[in-house]
Amino acid sequence: MDFREVLGTSSLRRLRFVELLYASQVGLPSDQLLEELECSLPILLKDVKLINDDQDDFHIEKFKGLYQIQVKPHVSINRLYADVLQQSPEFQIIEELLYEKCSCISDLADKLNLISCNTKRYLKKIETALKKAGIKLDYRTLRIEGKESCIRHFYYRYFLEKSDRLESLFVDLKRHHIKTSTDLVDQFIQVNHLDNRKIFRNGLSYTLYI
């Protein structure tokens, strides 16, 4: 599935903003960005501030009338995409549903610093995506239900979209847990004579984590 379907207007606009600047060689003027993003100048300026406040890998600045994106060395468009997604409330809610640490909407809203009415709106949109994956969202206990295979596949695809590096996935795990996980993946690849490329290693790590 295309996880952009769960993103709201603001998250989609910021993601498109980053993509446009990354694709540009010299930068883009505000008039062109306002037309492409279909927004007002105050909203564009607010997006610049929000993106810059939330990111470490890149920075948006205006130079000689053109908006440009300054990216750290060796940071790919996949990293930029992942960084923007990680800041979206929709993706944060999807991940919280996996951990089942919030028993009601108000708890979820408080944890993510969201307004309850907005949280309900995000959940309704996420519920549609979950249904397409064969998963049910239970609002009474705020948990997901369905076949284990469907849930595992949904979150496998989710983590592929959300993260291009394992550090962001394992951020809440203790060091010895991370070492145990990576050692197990290494042994599995070695014993089964599998491809040791990064994308395959990450896929195994996501599967183990889920």
Side-chain angles (χ1 to χ4, degrees), residues 2-15 84-98 108 112 114 118-127 129-130 137 154-155 158 162:
D2 184 359
F3 276 91
R4 294 193 186 207
E5 293 178 5
V6 306
L7 296 179
T9 303
S10 297
S11 296
L12 282 172
R13 184 182 63 250
R14 291 174 195 135
L15 185 59
V84 174
L85 288 181
Q86 288 177 34
Q87 301 303 324
S88 70
E90 299 88 352
F91 263 57
Q92 292 174 15
I93 288 174
I94 288 176
E95 191 158 341
E96 288 299 325
L97 290 174
L98 172 65
L108 179 62
L112 299 179
L114 300 172
N118 288 342
T119 306
K120 292 178 183 178
R121 188 175 72 251
Y122 295 140
L123 284 169
K124 285 294 183 183
K125 196 167 187 178
I126 291 169
E127 183 179 19
L130 290 172
L137 175 60
F154 178 84
Y155 278 98
Y158 164 80
K162 179 203 169 204

mmCIF file of all heavy atoms in Angstrom, residues 2-15 84-98 108 112 114 118-127 129-130 137 154-155 158 162:
data_model
loop_
_atom_site.group_PDB
_atom_site.id
_atom_site.type_symbol
_atom_site.label_atom_id
_atom_site.label_comp_id
_atom_site.label_asym_id
_atom_site.label_seq_id
_atom_site.Cartn_x
_atom_site.Cartn_y
_atom_site.Cartn_z
ATOM 1 N N ASP A 2 0.293 2.358 -0.406
ATOM 2 C CA ASP A 2 0.990 3.633 -0.395
ATOM 3 C C ASP A 2 0.663 4.346 0.910
ATOM 4 O O ASP A 2 -0.462 4.792 1.129
ATOM 5 C CB ASP A 2 0.544 4.482 -1.592
ATOM 6 C CG ASP A 2 1.302 5.791 -1.690
ATOM 7 O OD1 ASP A 2 2.163 6.045 -0.811
ATOM 8 O OD2 ASP A 2 1.037 6.571 -2.616
ATOM 9 N N PHE A 3 1.656 4.451 1.792
ATOM 10 C CA PHE A 3 1.405 5.034 3.105
ATOM 11 C C PHE A 3 1.145 6.533 3.046
ATOM 12 O O PHE A 3 0.764 7.133 4.049
ATOM 13 C CB PHE A 3 2.565 4.722 4.049
ATOM 14 C CG PHE A 3 2.456 3.389 4.709
ATOM 15 C CD1 PHE A 3 3.028 2.269 4.134
ATOM 16 C CD2 PHE A 3 1.765 3.233 5.893
ATOM 17 C CE1 PHE A 3 2.915 1.028 4.732
ATOM 18 C CE2 PHE A 3 1.644 1.999 6.506
ATOM 19 C CZ PHE A 3 2.218 0.892 5.923
ATOM 20 N N ARG A 4 1.342 7.125 1.882
ATOM 21 C CA ARG A 4 0.996 8.541 1.773
ATOM 22 C C ARG A 4 -0.504 8.753 1.904
ATOM 23 O O ARG A 4 -0.964 9.863 2.170
ATOM 24 C CB ARG A 4 1.484 9.101 0.434
ATOM 25 C CG ARG A 4 2.993 9.138 0.308
ATOM 26 C CD ARG A 4 3.415 9.967 -0.864
ATOM 27 N NE ARG A 4 4.852 9.905 -1.081
ATOM 28 C CZ ARG A 4 5.560 10.858 -1.662
ATOM 29 N NH1 ARG A 4 4.962 11.946 -2.083
ATOM 30 N NH2 ARG A 4 6.853 10.742 -1.824
ATOM 31 N N GLU A 5 -1.263 7.676 1.709
ATOM 32 C CA GLU A 5 -2.714 7.775 1.815
ATOM 33 C C GLU A 5 -3.150 8.182 3.224
ATOM 34 O O GLU A 5 -4.223 8.764 3.400
ATOM 35 C CB GLU A 5 -3.360 6.436 1.453
ATOM 36 C CG GLU A 5 -3.195 6.039 -0.005
ATOM 37 C CD GLU A 5 -3.807 4.676 -0.287
ATOM 38 O OE1 GLU A 5 -4.427 4.105 0.635
ATOM 39 O OE2 GLU A 5 -3.672 4.192 -1.414
ATOM 40 N N VAL A 6 -2.351 7.852 4.230
ATOM 41 C CA VAL A 6 -2.748 8.164 5.611
ATOM 42 C C VAL A 6 -2.302 9.558 6.034
ATOM 43 O O VAL A 6 -2.710 10.044 7.087
ATOM 44 C CB VAL A 6 -2.190 7.123 6.608
ATOM 45 C CG1 VAL A 6 -2.591 5.726 6.199
ATOM 46 C CG2 VAL A 6 -0.689 7.231 6.749
ATOM 47 N N LEU A 7 -1.465 10.198 5.241
ATOM 48 C CA LEU A 7 -0.962 11.519 5.598
ATOM 49 C C LEU A 7 -2.021 12.588 5.366
ATOM 50 O O LEU A 7 -2.762 12.554 4.384
ATOM 51 C CB LEU A 7 0.293 11.849 4.798
ATOM 52 C CG LEU A 7 1.516 10.966 5.028
ATOM 53 C CD1 LEU A 7 2.664 11.411 4.136
ATOM 54 C CD2 LEU A 7 1.946 10.990 6.487
ATOM 55 N N GLY A 8 -2.062 13.555 6.268
ATOM 56 C CA GLY A 8 -2.967 14.672 6.113
ATOM 57 C C GLY A 8 -2.413 15.707 5.149
ATOM 58 O O GLY A 8 -1.288 15.590 4.646
ATOM 59 N N THR A 9 -3.185 16.748 4.905
ATOM 60 C CA THR A 9 -2.799 17.784 3.947
ATOM 61 C C THR A 9 -1.477 18.450 4.318
ATOM 62 O O THR A 9 -0.605 18.651 3.469
ATOM 63 C CB THR A 9 -3.905 18.856 3.853
ATOM 64 O OG1 THR A 9 -5.137 18.240 3.477
ATOM 65 C CG2 THR A 9 -3.535 19.913 2.819
ATOM 66 N N SER A 10 -1.297 18.773 5.592
ATOM 67 C CA SER A 10 -0.082 19.466 6.029
ATOM 68 C C SER A 10 1.153 18.593 5.855
ATOM 69 O O SER A 10 2.190 19.055 5.358
ATOM 70 C CB SER A 10 -0.214 19.889 7.495
ATOM 71 O OG SER A 10 -1.261 20.815 7.663
ATOM 72 N N SER A 11 1.054 17.319 6.254
ATOM 73 C CA SER A 11 2.193 16.411 6.136
ATOM 74 C C SER A 11 2.553 16.170 4.672
ATOM 75 O O SER A 11 3.739 16.139 4.311
ATOM 76 C CB SER A 11 1.885 15.077 6.824
ATOM 77 O OG SER A 11 1.701 15.263 8.210
ATOM 78 N N LEU A 12 1.540 15.999 3.830
ATOM 79 C CA LEU A 12 1.788 15.795 2.403
ATOM 80 C C LEU A 12 2.443 17.024 1.775
ATOM 81 O O LEU A 12 3.343 16.903 0.939
ATOM 82 C CB LEU A 12 0.473 15.487 1.683
ATOM 83 C CG LEU A 12 -0.064 14.064 1.820
ATOM 84 C CD1 LEU A 12 -1.464 13.976 1.224
ATOM 85 C CD2 LEU A 12 0.864 13.066 1.149
ATOM 86 N N ARG A 13 1.991 18.213 2.195
ATOM 87 C CA ARG A 13 2.550 19.447 1.656
ATOM 88 C C ARG A 13 4.011 19.593 2.044
ATOM 89 O O ARG A 13 4.862 19.941 1.205
ATOM 90 C CB ARG A 13 1.752 20.645 2.159
ATOM 91 C CG ARG A 13 2.212 21.972 1.548
ATOM 92 C CD ARG A 13 1.447 23.148 2.097
ATOM 93 N NE ARG A 13 1.641 23.323 3.533
ATOM 94 C CZ ARG A 13 0.688 23.089 4.441
ATOM 95 N NH1 ARG A 13 -0.507 22.692 4.087
ATOM 96 N NH2 ARG A 13 0.951 23.260 5.735
ATOM 97 N N ARG A 14 4.361 19.300 3.284
ATOM 98 C CA ARG A 14 5.757 19.412 3.722
ATOM 99 C C ARG A 14 6.639 18.385 3.035
ATOM 100 O O ARG A 14 7.792 18.670 2.688
ATOM 101 C CB ARG A 14 5.835 19.252 5.243
ATOM 102 C CG ARG A 14 5.211 20.433 5.986
ATOM 103 C CD ARG A 14 5.145 20.221 7.470
ATOM 104 N NE ARG A 14 4.246 21.192 8.071
ATOM 105 C CZ ARG A 14 3.333 20.905 8.991
ATOM 106 N NH1 ARG A 14 3.218 19.658 9.432
ATOM 107 N NH2 ARG A 14 2.549 21.843 9.473
ATOM 108 N N LEU A 15 6.101 17.205 2.827
ATOM 109 C CA LEU A 15 6.857 16.174 2.124
ATOM 110 C C LEU A 15 7.118 16.605 0.689
ATOM 111 O O LEU A 15 8.238 16.464 0.171
ATOM 112 C CB LEU A 15 6.080 14.858 2.155
ATOM 113 C CG LEU A 15 6.781 13.638 1.556
ATOM 114 C CD1 LEU A 15 8.090 13.359 2.277
ATOM 115 C CD2 LEU A 15 5.865 12.425 1.633
ATOM 116 N N VAL A 84 10.902 13.228 7.336
ATOM 117 C CA VAL A 84 9.638 13.971 7.311
ATOM 118 C C VAL A 84 8.504 13.092 7.824
ATOM 119 O O VAL A 84 7.660 13.532 8.616
ATOM 120 C CB VAL A 84 9.332 14.481 5.890
ATOM 121 C CG1 VAL A 84 7.949 15.129 5.839
ATOM 122 C CG2 VAL A 84 10.381 15.496 5.445
ATOM 123 N N LEU A 85 8.487 11.832 7.402
ATOM 124 C CA LEU A 85 7.435 10.921 7.846
ATOM 125 C C LEU A 85 7.458 10.730 9.357
ATOM 126 O O LEU A 85 6.404 10.659 9.999
ATOM 127 C CB LEU A 85 7.594 9.560 7.157
ATOM 128 C CG LEU A 85 7.244 9.494 5.671
ATOM 129 C CD1 LEU A 85 7.437 8.073 5.153
ATOM 130 C CD2 LEU A 85 5.810 9.948 5.420
ATOM 131 N N GLN A 86 8.640 10.646 9.934
ATOM 132 C CA GLN A 86 8.751 10.412 11.370
ATOM 133 C C GLN A 86 8.157 11.549 12.186
ATOM 134 O O GLN A 86 7.782 11.352 13.340
ATOM 135 C CB GLN A 86 10.220 10.209 11.753
ATOM 136 C CG GLN A 86 10.793 8.882 11.294
ATOM 137 C CD GLN A 86 12.263 8.744 11.615
ATOM 138 O OE1 GLN A 86 12.723 9.239 12.635
ATOM 139 N NE2 GLN A 86 13.010 8.082 10.748
ATOM 140 N N GLN A 87 8.063 12.726 11.602
ATOM 141 C CA GLN A 87 7.504 13.872 12.314
ATOM 142 C C GLN A 87 5.999 14.019 12.112
ATOM 143 O O GLN A 87 5.364 14.844 12.771
ATOM 144 C CB GLN A 87 8.204 15.163 11.859
ATOM 145 C CG GLN A 87 9.700 15.169 12.092
ATOM 146 C CD GLN A 87 10.072 14.929 13.537
ATOM 147 O OE1 GLN A 87 9.378 15.392 14.441
ATOM 148 N NE2 GLN A 87 11.159 14.201 13.768
ATOM 149 N N SER A 88 5.418 13.218 11.210
ATOM 150 C CA SER A 88 3.983 13.345 10.942
ATOM 151 C C SER A 88 3.180 12.666 12.046
ATOM 152 O O SER A 88 3.514 11.561 12.480
ATOM 153 C CB SER A 88 3.640 12.725 9.584
ATOM 154 O OG SER A 88 3.754 11.317 9.628
ATOM 155 N N PRO A 89 2.106 13.303 12.527
ATOM 156 C CA PRO A 89 1.297 12.692 13.597
ATOM 157 C C PRO A 89 0.664 11.376 13.162
ATOM 158 O O PRO A 89 0.481 10.477 13.985
ATOM 159 C CB PRO A 89 0.243 13.765 13.896
ATOM 160 C CG PRO A 89 0.214 14.645 12.687
ATOM 161 C CD PRO A 89 1.606 14.628 12.138
ATOM 162 N N GLU A 90 0.350 11.261 11.858
ATOM 163 C CA GLU A 90 -0.275 10.032 11.385
ATOM 164 C C GLU A 90 0.650 8.824 11.572
ATOM 165 O O GLU A 90 0.222 7.766 12.053
ATOM 166 C CB GLU A 90 -0.659 10.168 9.906
ATOM 167 C CG GLU A 90 -1.664 11.270 9.612
ATOM 168 C CD GLU A 90 -1.018 12.624 9.349
ATOM 169 O OE1 GLU A 90 0.213 12.744 9.537
ATOM 170 O OE2 GLU A 90 -1.739 13.552 8.964
ATOM 171 N N PHE A 91 1.919 8.987 11.224
ATOM 172 C CA PHE A 91 2.865 7.887 11.367
ATOM 173 C C PHE A 91 3.165 7.598 12.834
ATOM 174 O O PHE A 91 3.342 6.446 13.231
ATOM 175 C CB PHE A 91 4.155 8.205 10.603
ATOM 176 C CG PHE A 91 4.198 7.579 9.238
ATOM 177 C CD1 PHE A 91 3.202 7.852 8.315
ATOM 178 C CD2 PHE A 91 5.206 6.714 8.877
ATOM 179 C CE1 PHE A 91 3.218 7.279 7.051
ATOM 180 C CE2 PHE A 91 5.239 6.128 7.624
ATOM 181 C CZ PHE A 91 4.234 6.405 6.712
ATOM 182 N N GLN A 92 3.201 8.628 13.648
ATOM 183 C CA GLN A 92 3.431 8.424 15.077
ATOM 184 C C GLN A 92 2.281 7.637 15.703
ATOM 185 O O GLN A 92 2.503 6.773 16.559
ATOM 186 C CB GLN A 92 3.596 9.775 15.771
ATOM 187 C CG GLN A 92 4.866 10.514 15.372
ATOM 188 C CD GLN A 92 4.940 11.918 15.952
ATOM 189 O OE1 GLN A 92 4.200 12.256 16.871
ATOM 190 N NE2 GLN A 92 5.819 12.738 15.408
ATOM 191 N N ILE A 93 1.060 7.910 15.268
ATOM 192 C CA ILE A 93 -0.105 7.192 15.790
ATOM 193 C C ILE A 93 -0.073 5.728 15.360
ATOM 194 O O ILE A 93 -0.348 4.823 16.168
ATOM 195 C CB ILE A 93 -1.410 7.863 15.308
ATOM 196 C CG1 ILE A 93 -1.601 9.205 16.028
ATOM 197 C CG2 ILE A 93 -2.612 6.958 15.562
ATOM 198 C CD1 ILE A 93 -2.774 10.015 15.518
ATOM 199 N N ILE A 94 0.266 5.468 14.091
ATOM 200 C CA ILE A 94 0.345 4.084 13.607
ATOM 201 C C ILE A 94 1.318 3.278 14.450
ATOM 202 O O ILE A 94 1.050 2.126 14.820
ATOM 203 C CB ILE A 94 0.770 4.061 12.122
ATOM 204 C CG1 ILE A 94 -0.377 4.547 11.241
ATOM 205 C CG2 ILE A 94 1.177 2.652 11.697
ATOM 206 C CD1 ILE A 94 -0.022 4.656 9.769
ATOM 207 N N GLU A 95 2.446 3.879 14.795
ATOM 208 C CA GLU A 95 3.436 3.158 15.589
ATOM 209 C C GLU A 95 2.950 2.930 17.014
ATOM 210 O O GLU A 95 3.176 1.864 17.596
ATOM 211 C CB GLU A 95 4.763 3.904 15.585
ATOM 212 C CG GLU A 95 5.900 3.100 16.168
ATOM 213 C CD GLU A 95 7.269 3.574 15.714
ATOM 214 O OE1 GLU A 95 7.353 4.278 14.687
ATOM 215 O OE2 GLU A 95 8.250 3.233 16.386
ATOM 216 N N GLU A 96 2.280 3.917 17.586
ATOM 217 C CA GLU A 96 1.752 3.752 18.949
ATOM 218 C C GLU A 96 0.713 2.638 19.008
ATOM 219 O O GLU A 96 0.604 1.935 20.019
ATOM 220 C CB GLU A 96 1.140 5.069 19.443
ATOM 221 C CG GLU A 96 2.156 6.150 19.772
ATOM 222 C CD GLU A 96 3.119 5.738 20.871
ATOM 223 O OE1 GLU A 96 2.704 5.016 21.802
ATOM 224 O OE2 GLU A 96 4.296 6.126 20.791
ATOM 225 N N LEU A 97 -0.049 2.454 17.931
ATOM 226 C CA LEU A 97 -1.038 1.380 17.905
ATOM 227 C C LEU A 97 -0.363 0.009 17.970
ATOM 228 O O LEU A 97 -0.926 -0.943 18.520
ATOM 229 C CB LEU A 97 -1.894 1.480 16.634
ATOM 230 C CG LEU A 97 -2.866 2.657 16.561
ATOM 231 C CD1 LEU A 97 -3.540 2.705 15.193
ATOM 232 C CD2 LEU A 97 -3.916 2.571 17.663
ATOM 233 N N LEU A 98 0.832 -0.093 17.426
ATOM 234 C CA LEU A 98 1.573 -1.353 17.487
ATOM 235 C C LEU A 98 1.986 -1.675 18.917
ATOM 236 O O LEU A 98 1.897 -2.815 19.362
ATOM 237 C CB LEU A 98 2.807 -1.281 16.587
ATOM 238 C CG LEU A 98 3.791 -2.460 16.683
ATOM 239 C CD1 LEU A 98 3.118 -3.754 16.201
ATOM 240 C CD2 LEU A 98 5.049 -2.180 15.874
ATOM 241 N N LEU A 108 -3.536 8.764 24.093
ATOM 242 C CA LEU A 108 -2.743 8.870 22.870
ATOM 243 C C LEU A 108 -2.471 10.330 22.516
ATOM 244 O O LEU A 108 -1.343 10.701 22.174
ATOM 245 C CB LEU A 108 -3.477 8.180 21.716
ATOM 246 C CG LEU A 108 -2.801 8.209 20.341
ATOM 247 C CD1 LEU A 108 -1.464 7.482 20.369
ATOM 248 C CD2 LEU A 108 -3.719 7.587 19.291
ATOM 249 N N LEU A 112 1.341 12.221 22.432
ATOM 250 C CA LEU A 112 1.881 12.792 21.203
ATOM 251 C C LEU A 112 1.693 14.311 21.128
ATOM 252 O O LEU A 112 1.985 14.923 20.102
ATOM 253 C CB LEU A 112 1.231 12.131 19.985
ATOM 254 C CG LEU A 112 1.455 10.616 19.857
ATOM 255 C CD1 LEU A 112 0.734 10.078 18.619
ATOM 256 C CD2 LEU A 112 2.943 10.292 19.787
ATOM 257 N N LEU A 114 -1.072 16.095 21.016
ATOM 258 C CA LEU A 114 -2.070 16.423 20.006
ATOM 259 C C LEU A 114 -3.380 16.816 20.676
ATOM 260 O O LEU A 114 -3.622 16.510 21.846
ATOM 261 C CB LEU A 114 -2.318 15.218 19.085
ATOM 262 C CG LEU A 114 -1.124 14.686 18.289
ATOM 263 C CD1 LEU A 114 -1.504 13.388 17.585
ATOM 264 C CD2 LEU A 114 -0.640 15.722 17.279
ATOM 265 N N ASN A 118 -8.299 16.339 16.815
ATOM 266 C CA ASN A 118 -7.406 16.047 15.700
ATOM 267 C C ASN A 118 -6.977 14.585 15.713
ATOM 268 O O ASN A 118 -6.849 13.944 14.666
ATOM 269 C CB ASN A 118 -6.174 16.944 15.747
ATOM 270 C CG ASN A 118 -6.470 18.388 15.374
ATOM 271 O OD1 ASN A 118 -7.502 18.676 14.775
ATOM 272 N ND2 ASN A 118 -5.591 19.287 15.739
ATOM 273 N N THR A 119 -6.738 14.058 16.904
ATOM 274 C CA THR A 119 -6.353 12.653 17.037
ATOM 275 C C THR A 119 -7.449 11.739 16.505
ATOM 276 O O THR A 119 -7.169 10.751 15.808
ATOM 277 C CB THR A 119 -6.065 12.308 18.511
ATOM 278 O OG1 THR A 119 -5.088 13.218 19.028
ATOM 279 C CG2 THR A 119 -5.542 10.884 18.646
ATOM 280 N N LYS A 120 -8.701 12.055 16.803
ATOM 281 C CA LYS A 120 -9.822 11.267 16.284
ATOM 282 C C LYS A 120 -9.857 11.313 14.763
ATOM 283 O O LYS A 120 -10.118 10.293 14.111
ATOM 284 C CB LYS A 120 -11.141 11.798 16.858
ATOM 285 C CG LYS A 120 -11.313 11.573 18.343
ATOM 286 C CD LYS A 120 -12.621 12.185 18.836
ATOM 287 C CE LYS A 120 -12.762 12.021 20.337
ATOM 288 N NZ LYS A 120 -14.007 12.655 20.853
ATOM 289 N N ARG A 121 -9.591 12.485 14.198
ATOM 290 C CA ARG A 121 -9.594 12.624 12.743
ATOM 291 C C ARG A 121 -8.473 11.800 12.106
ATOM 292 O O ARG A 121 -8.674 11.123 11.096
ATOM 293 C CB ARG A 121 -9.449 14.098 12.356
ATOM 294 C CG ARG A 121 -9.645 14.356 10.861
ATOM 295 C CD ARG A 121 -9.608 15.818 10.511
ATOM 296 N NE ARG A 121 -8.265 16.377 10.601
ATOM 297 C CZ ARG A 121 -7.882 17.224 11.540
ATOM 298 N NH1 ARG A 121 -8.724 17.605 12.489
ATOM 299 N NH2 ARG A 121 -6.648 17.692 11.550
ATOM 300 N N TYR A 122 -7.287 11.834 12.724
ATOM 301 C CA TYR A 122 -6.173 11.029 12.215
ATOM 302 C C TYR A 122 -6.517 9.540 12.283
ATOM 303 O O TYR A 122 -6.231 8.778 11.354
ATOM 304 C CB TYR A 122 -4.907 11.293 13.038
ATOM 305 C CG TYR A 122 -4.364 12.693 12.935
ATOM 306 C CD1 TYR A 122 -3.855 13.351 14.069
ATOM 307 C CD2 TYR A 122 -4.339 13.383 11.725
ATOM 308 C CE1 TYR A 122 -3.352 14.637 13.993
ATOM 309 C CE2 TYR A 122 -3.836 14.678 11.654
ATOM 310 C CZ TYR A 122 -3.342 15.291 12.786
ATOM 311 O OH TYR A 122 -2.832 16.565 12.699
ATOM 312 N N LEU A 123 -7.133 9.119 13.380
ATOM 313 C CA LEU A 123 -7.468 7.706 13.555
ATOM 314 C C LEU A 123 -8.477 7.231 12.512
ATOM 315 O O LEU A 123 -8.375 6.102 12.014
ATOM 316 C CB LEU A 123 -8.023 7.463 14.962
ATOM 317 C CG LEU A 123 -7.000 7.436 16.101
ATOM 318 C CD1 LEU A 123 -7.701 7.471 17.453
ATOM 319 C CD2 LEU A 123 -6.124 6.187 16.003
ATOM 320 N N LYS A 124 -9.431 8.067 12.161
ATOM 321 C CA LYS A 124 -10.420 7.707 11.145
ATOM 322 C C LYS A 124 -9.747 7.455 9.800
ATOM 323 O O LYS A 124 -10.091 6.510 9.080
ATOM 324 C CB LYS A 124 -11.472 8.816 11.011
ATOM 325 C CG LYS A 124 -12.483 8.860 12.140
ATOM 326 C CD LYS A 124 -13.358 7.608 12.130
ATOM 327 C CE LYS A 124 -14.432 7.677 13.202
ATOM 328 N NZ LYS A 124 -15.247 6.418 13.236
ATOM 329 N N LYS A 125 -8.781 8.294 9.461
ATOM 330 C CA LYS A 125 -8.072 8.114 8.201
ATOM 331 C C LYS A 125 -7.191 6.874 8.237
ATOM 332 O O LYS A 125 -7.106 6.120 7.266
ATOM 333 C CB LYS A 125 -7.223 9.360 7.906
ATOM 334 C CG LYS A 125 -6.757 9.456 6.456
ATOM 335 C CD LYS A 125 -6.220 10.827 6.153
ATOM 336 C CE LYS A 125 -5.928 10.958 4.662
ATOM 337 N NZ LYS A 125 -5.433 12.308 4.317
ATOM 338 N N ILE A 126 -6.544 6.655 9.370
ATOM 339 C CA ILE A 126 -5.702 5.467 9.529
ATOM 340 C C ILE A 126 -6.552 4.202 9.492
ATOM 341 O O ILE A 126 -6.134 3.174 8.943
ATOM 342 C CB ILE A 126 -4.918 5.557 10.853
ATOM 343 C CG1 ILE A 126 -3.871 6.679 10.770
ATOM 344 C CG2 ILE A 126 -4.251 4.231 11.197
ATOM 345 C CD1 ILE A 126 -3.239 7.022 12.096
ATOM 346 N N GLU A 127 -7.757 4.274 10.048
ATOM 347 C CA GLU A 127 -8.650 3.114 10.062
ATOM 348 C C GLU A 127 -8.943 2.630 8.645
ATOM 349 O O GLU A 127 -9.019 1.415 8.395
ATOM 350 C CB GLU A 127 -9.954 3.466 10.777
ATOM 351 C CG GLU A 127 -10.913 2.297 10.902
ATOM 352 C CD GLU A 127 -12.184 2.681 11.635
ATOM 353 O OE1 GLU A 127 -12.488 3.888 11.724
ATOM 354 O OE2 GLU A 127 -12.890 1.775 12.122
ATOM 355 N N ALA A 129 -6.962 2.834 6.035
ATOM 356 C CA ALA A 129 -5.769 2.129 5.551
ATOM 357 C C ALA A 129 -5.658 0.752 6.197
ATOM 358 O O ALA A 129 -5.272 -0.223 5.541
ATOM 359 C CB ALA A 129 -4.519 2.952 5.840
ATOM 360 N N LEU A 130 -6.002 0.666 7.483
ATOM 361 C CA LEU A 130 -5.942 -0.610 8.179
ATOM 362 C C LEU A 130 -6.941 -1.611 7.590
ATOM 363 O O LEU A 130 -6.634 -2.805 7.438
ATOM 364 C CB LEU A 130 -6.219 -0.413 9.670
ATOM 365 C CG LEU A 130 -5.136 0.317 10.472
ATOM 366 C CD1 LEU A 130 -5.634 0.624 11.884
ATOM 367 C CD2 LEU A 130 -3.861 -0.520 10.548
ATOM 368 N N LEU A 137 -9.516 -1.675 13.697
ATOM 369 C CA LEU A 137 -9.137 -0.765 14.773
ATOM 370 C C LEU A 137 -10.243 -0.739 15.810
ATOM 371 O O LEU A 137 -11.378 -0.355 15.519
ATOM 372 C CB LEU A 137 -8.890 0.644 14.223
ATOM 373 C CG LEU A 137 -8.588 1.738 15.251
ATOM 374 C CD1 LEU A 137 -7.331 1.396 16.032
ATOM 375 C CD2 LEU A 137 -8.435 3.097 14.563
ATOM 376 N N PHE A 154 1.774 -5.490 7.454
ATOM 377 C CA PHE A 154 1.454 -4.057 7.471
ATOM 378 C C PHE A 154 2.587 -3.265 8.116
ATOM 379 O O PHE A 154 3.051 -2.247 7.582
ATOM 380 C CB PHE A 154 0.148 -3.828 8.231
ATOM 381 C CG PHE A 154 -0.253 -2.381 8.344
ATOM 382 C CD1 PHE A 154 -0.943 -1.754 7.319
ATOM 383 C CD2 PHE A 154 0.063 -1.636 9.480
ATOM 384 C CE1 PHE A 154 -1.314 -0.419 7.421
ATOM 385 C CE2 PHE A 154 -0.295 -0.305 9.590
ATOM 386 C CZ PHE A 154 -0.992 0.301 8.554
ATOM 387 N N TYR A 155 3.058 -3.726 9.269
ATOM 388 C CA TYR A 155 4.106 -2.987 9.977
ATOM 389 C C TYR A 155 5.483 -3.184 9.350
ATOM 390 O O TYR A 155 6.355 -2.314 9.482
ATOM 391 C CB TYR A 155 4.102 -3.340 11.461
ATOM 392 C CG TYR A 155 3.059 -2.541 12.207
ATOM 393 C CD1 TYR A 155 1.816 -3.078 12.491
ATOM 394 C CD2 TYR A 155 3.306 -1.219 12.575
ATOM 395 C CE1 TYR A 155 0.843 -2.331 13.141
ATOM 396 C CE2 TYR A 155 2.351 -0.466 13.219
ATOM 397 C CZ TYR A 155 1.115 -1.026 13.508
ATOM 398 O OH TYR A 155 0.155 -0.264 14.139
ATOM 399 N N TYR A 158 5.339 -0.593 6.882
ATOM 400 C CA TYR A 158 5.399 0.691 7.585
ATOM 401 C C TYR A 158 6.834 1.073 7.921
ATOM 402 O O TYR A 158 7.279 2.191 7.651
ATOM 403 C CB TYR A 158 4.556 0.614 8.862
ATOM 404 C CG TYR A 158 4.835 1.724 9.847
ATOM 405 C CD1 TYR A 158 4.270 2.983 9.675
ATOM 406 C CD2 TYR A 158 5.677 1.528 10.938
ATOM 407 C CE1 TYR A 158 4.534 4.016 10.572
ATOM 408 C CE2 TYR A 158 5.944 2.548 11.829
ATOM 409 C CZ TYR A 158 5.365 3.782 11.644
ATOM 410 O OH TYR A 158 5.642 4.791 12.520
ATOM 411 N N LYS A 162 9.132 4.207 6.863
ATOM 412 C CA LYS A 162 9.455 5.186 7.895
ATOM 413 C C LYS A 162 10.943 5.374 8.125
ATOM 414 O O LYS A 162 11.401 6.469 8.459
ATOM 415 C CB LYS A 162 8.807 4.760 9.212
ATOM 416 C CG LYS A 162 9.098 5.714 10.363
ATOM 417 C CD LYS A 162 8.952 5.016 11.688
ATOM 418 C CE LYS A 162 9.508 5.928 12.766
ATOM 419 N NZ LYS A 162 9.933 5.200 13.959
#
